[in-house]
Amino acid sequence: MSKQGIVSLEGVCMNYQDLEGETPALKNIDLEVQEGEFIGIVGPSGCGKSTILSLIAGLIKPCSGQVKIEGKEVEGPSSKVGYMLQQDHLFEWRTILQNVMLGLEIQKKANEENKKKVMKLLDTYGLGDFKNHYPRQLSGGMRQRVALIRTLAVDPKILLLDEPFSALDYQTRLALSDEVADIIKKEKKTALLVTHDISEAISMCNRVIVLSKRPGVIKSSHDIHLSGEKRNPVSLRKAPEFREYFNIIWEELDVHVN
Amino acid sequence: MSMSTNNNKAPVSEEHLAYLKKVRRYKLSIRITQIAVLIVFIVLWEVAASLGWIDAFITSQPSRIVKTIISLAREGELFRHVSITMLETIIGFTVGTILGTLIAIILWWSDFLAKVADPYLVVLNALPKIALGPIIIVWVGAGPVSIVVMALLISIVVTVIGVLNGFLEVNPDKIKLLKTFGATKTQVLSKVILPASIPTIISALKINVGMSWVGVIVGEFLVSRAGLGYLAVYGGQVFKLDLVMTSVMILAVAAALMYQGVAWLEKKYLRWRQ
């Protein structure tokens, strides 16, 4: 970790305040993300996985430590970062095209040129025929793809994916994770994926970070090397190393069900 | 991935045609019964009054109502009374809705103000606004303006509470999404809070139609020299039940028409829901 990454967290701590008291969410997080990396963050529920994304997105400020993007401290939301949430949150009153234009509208970049770019994205990823449809006319998987394109439309360098597949059924989830990994690779984005699905993290990411129970500290980091000819997440699950990674991470997660 | 659009339906089968026919027949029978109930009621009323089963002097009777409407229309009074009441209602209703929504926006904007205003809104909502009638008359004067103010007062508190609740029910993740794009508070309001709340605002409109009619009629009872409420009160005072019944009938029709107008608006602006 010699050179400064595109995203870096240095000694980040985060506490949440409410009337009952203080909840420490993250403790002393150091993380360097290099350009083009696809990082998976796994951890027990409530360990502050999503908090890391909110910090990078500039939605909240750390209590101590620094969050930097391209060497500059994060002051607030920036167009360099795109955030994809658990639910697609497409606006029912907007057509697919209008939904995808949302970010550009907010950043006052909704010009003809960008509109063409967005149309091209929709065409490329099989949604061109649905431009003028309303969200309720689309299936869950398609809606989540629209949500991804809405995020990509503002051309962020870094994508934050907050359990983006957890609301989908299993088949759709597998198919979509394939597609999303493919899209992110093609568009040359750096990505951070928060998930509770170990297989998803191993098959999609090239580095998986394991967080401990609250307050979250980084327990370990695994570079993932899977052998196999096809490089898509579904086939990679068959790689011989897959089970090993899975077992190691599973042990580290230390899940107990009472 | 399956698509759920309408253009990939299978060709219509016999079974489906039979099903459609059944549904259509059921709907038709409902409509026919509705009309029949109305006709039976009117005929029964007419016959009962004619045969002396009931006292037409007290209950009036459909033919007398028609006669009253015709004679009022001939004198040009009908249009005058109806239009005055309609105008007062529409103004009270529109101003109440717009003002109520604006106040709701202010309260959404400032959580502090909303919390401060909360107990006052609760009291104002529980208070029967009609009790304020005498105060309004003294302050605003006995005229059409105080009638409009009455209608407005009755509808505004409900609007503020209803619309504000609608605003607060918007999914916080939708707001988070906008914030990740760097949206300002004004943008959050215009891009998500308002459009997401249009169904709430329209249902507030629907309630307000009824509320405004109550306000206007009560106002007319108290102060006016024209309008359907005045006509009803006047009719009662001089014991002309024909006149009272006539104004109630016209009121029913006018209120229903206005409600339909709002329903039409709803259909027009909520196309994405269908």
Side-chain angles (χ1 to χ4, degrees):
Chain A
M1 299 204 180
S2 51
K3 87 176 178 166
Q4 175 108 37
I6 183 164
V7 176
S8 63
L9 282 78
E10 292 159 21
V12 168
C13 293
M14 185 70 207
N15 303 319
Y16 287 113
Q17 305 286 346
D18 62 29
L19 291 177
E20 269 95 65
E22 201 174 59
T23 314
L26 292 174
K27 219 170 106 188
N28 218 3
I29 300 283
D30 287 305
L31 177 66
E32 288 282 329
V33 182
Q34 305 300 331
E35 200 162 351
E37 260 192 310
F38 198 142
I39 293 200
I41 302 171
V42 296
S45 26
C47 71
K49 298 182 295 252
S50 300
T51 305
I52 294 186
L53 297 193
S54 293
L55 284 165
I56 298 171
L59 294 174
I60 49 175
K61 286 211 163 79
C63 300
S64 62
Q66 280 188 319
V67 181
K68 289 179 181 170
I69 291 174
E70 291 180 322
K72 264 186 243 143
E73 196 166 347
V74 175
E75 298 283 350
S78 98
S79 57
K80 283 178 191 153
V81 181
Y83 202 124
M84 204 170 152
L85 300 149
Q86 223 171 88
Q87 249 101 40
D88 53 68
H89 289 300
L90 297 182
F91 291 0
E92 283 80 11
W93 56 91
R94 286 176 167 242
T95 62
I96 296 308
L97 180 62
Q98 287 168 339
N99 261 296
V100 172
M101 293 293 287
L102 185 68
L104 290 165
E105 268 174 43
I106 287 168
Q107 296 173 6
K108 303 207 160 63
K109 291 190 271 192
N111 52 32
E112 275 308 305
E113 192 195 330
N114 280 328
K115 196 172 171 180
K116 263 185 210 147
K117 258 206 249 164
V118 164
M119 300 258 244
K120 217 179 135 199
L121 275 173
L122 284 172
D123 282 334
T124 314
Y125 299 115
L127 291 161
D129 293 337
F130 298 93
K131 280 197 273 285
N132 298 317
H133 283 59
Y134 285 99
R136 62 175 172 78
Q137 296 171 299
L138 270 58
S139 66
M142 288 170 93
R143 291 174 63 120
Q144 199 54 289
R145 257 194 292 167
V146 174
L148 176 63
I149 295 174
R150 177 182 59 196
T151 314
L152 291 173
V154 292
D155 202 19
K157 286 187 166 173
I158 303 146
L159 279 178
L160 308 174
L161 311 170
D162 193 355
E163 302 191 30
F165 312 118
S166 59
L168 301 170
D169 60 80
Y170 189 66
Q171 286 95 319
T172 313
R173 194 170 172 160
L174 276 185
L176 198 68
S177 66
D178 253 11
E179 254 181 83
V180 167
D182 197 42
I183 293 172
I184 287 172
K185 216 180 291 161
K186 257 192 219 153
E187 305 286 334
K188 297 193 179 67
K189 306 290 182 196
T190 307
L192 283 97
L193 168 75
V194 160
T195 178
H196 53 250
D197 183 336
I198 305 174
S199 315
E200 192 173 277
I202 299 171
S203 61
M204 287 179 82
C205 305
N206 45 31
R207 184 144 66 99
V208 175
I209 282 161
V210 182
L211 288 187
S212 71
K213 265 181 280 185
R214 198 164 54 208
V217 294
I218 294 182
K219 221 172 176 182
S220 62
S221 164
H222 305 268
D223 288 312
I224 307 288
H225 300 285
L226 296 174
S227 51
E229 280 168 28
K230 279 199 191 153
R231 303 302 303 165
N232 64 48
V234 171
S235 343
L236 285 173
R237 285 175 193 236
K238 294 188 200 113
E241 301 89 347
F242 186 88
R243 284 188 67 84
E244 260 170 68
Y245 286 124
F246 189 96
N247 289 335
I248 297 171
I249 294 172
W250 174 255
E251 295 282 311
E252 279 173 359
L253 272 179
D254 198 21
V255 185
H256 295 290
V257 180
N258 298 319
Chain B
M1 261 159 246
S2 70
M3 41 185 254
S4 50
T5 46
N6 295 326
N7 45 25
N8 56 353
K9 273 192 186 150
V12 188
S13 68
E14 284 287 321
E15 200 184 330
H16 185 62
L17 281 177
Y19 168 77
L20 285 180
K21 211 170 167 190
K22 207 173 110 194
V23 171
R24 229 175 285 142
R25 196 172 297 156
Y26 184 61
K27 275 189 180 161
L28 193 68
S29 64
I30 290 175
R31 185 46 53 88
I32 287 172
T33 316
Q34 286 171 334
I35 295 169
V37 167
L38 185 66
I39 291 174
V40 167
F41 175 72
I42 291 172
V43 169
L44 212 61
W45 187 3
E46 179 70 32
V47 171
S50 298
L51 298 180
W53 300 347
I54 51 174
D55 187 353
F57 183 64
I58 291 171
T59 60
S60 188
Q61 134 183 50
S63 57
R64 287 180 181 217
I65 292 174
V66 174
K67 259 182 232 155
T68 313
I69 292 177
I70 293 171
S71 78
L72 276 175
R74 234 180 243 148
E75 295 157 22
E77 290 290 283
L78 181 70
F79 179 73
R80 189 169 71 93
H81 290 296
V82 172
S83 60
I84 285 176
T85 302
M86 281 286 247
L87 193 69
E88 287 164 348
T89 311
I90 291 172
I91 295 175
F93 157 76
T94 318
V95 176
T97 307
I98 294 175
L99 220 58
T101 306
L102 283 178
I103 294 172
I105 289 176
I106 293 168
L107 295 183
W108 171 81
W109 195 278
S110 161
D111 181 59
F112 179 76
L113 281 184
K115 296 256 160 70
V116 171
D118 187 59
Y120 298 102
L121 281 176
V122 170
V123 172
L124 281 177
N125 190 37
L127 178 81
K129 265 66 73 181
I130 293 164
L132 300 175
I135 305 175
I136 297 168
I137 295 166
V138 173
W139 286 358
V140 186
V145 181
S146 58
I147 295 173
V148 170
V149 171
M150 193 77 225
L152 195 143
L153 272 183
I154 287 190
S155 62
I156 198 164
V157 185
V158 184
T159 311
V160 173
I161 293 175
V163 173
L164 182 61
N165 278 336
F167 286 174
L168 297 177
E169 269 165 29
V170 173
N171 191 323
D173 274 349
K174 280 200 160 73
I175 299 167
K176 182 176 175 184
L177 170 78
L178 287 194
K179 285 193 177 151
T180 65
F181 285 125
T184 60
K185 199 155 187 174
T186 321
Q187 280 175 324
V188 172
L189 180 70
S190 68
K191 300 281 180 205
V192 64
I193 297 292
L194 283 177
S197 303
I198 283 181
T200 321
I201 293 174
I202 287 184
S203 66
L205 284 182
K206 279 181 171 168
I207 297 169
N208 282 353
V209 173
M211 294 283 187
S212 306
W213 281 107
V214 173
V216 165
I217 297 303
V218 167
E220 286 185 353
F221 279 3
L222 293 175
V223 295
S224 84
R225 308 190 168 283
L228 292 169
Y230 161 78
L231 222 52
V233 163
Y234 172 75
Q237 281 163 352
V238 299
F239 230 82
K240 272 194 188 167
L241 265 295
D242 294 343
L243 203 55
V244 180
M245 290 295 184
T246 302
S247 40
V248 171
M249 289 295 159
I250 298 173
L251 253 177
V253 172
L257 281 179
M258 219 157 130
Y259 187 87
Q260 285 302 315
V262 176
W264 175 82
L265 267 181
E266 181 174 26
K267 220 172 176 177
K268 196 173 166 210
Y269 286 103
L270 295 182
R271 217 172 299 154
W272 50 268
R273 277 186 136 192
Q274 287 138 39

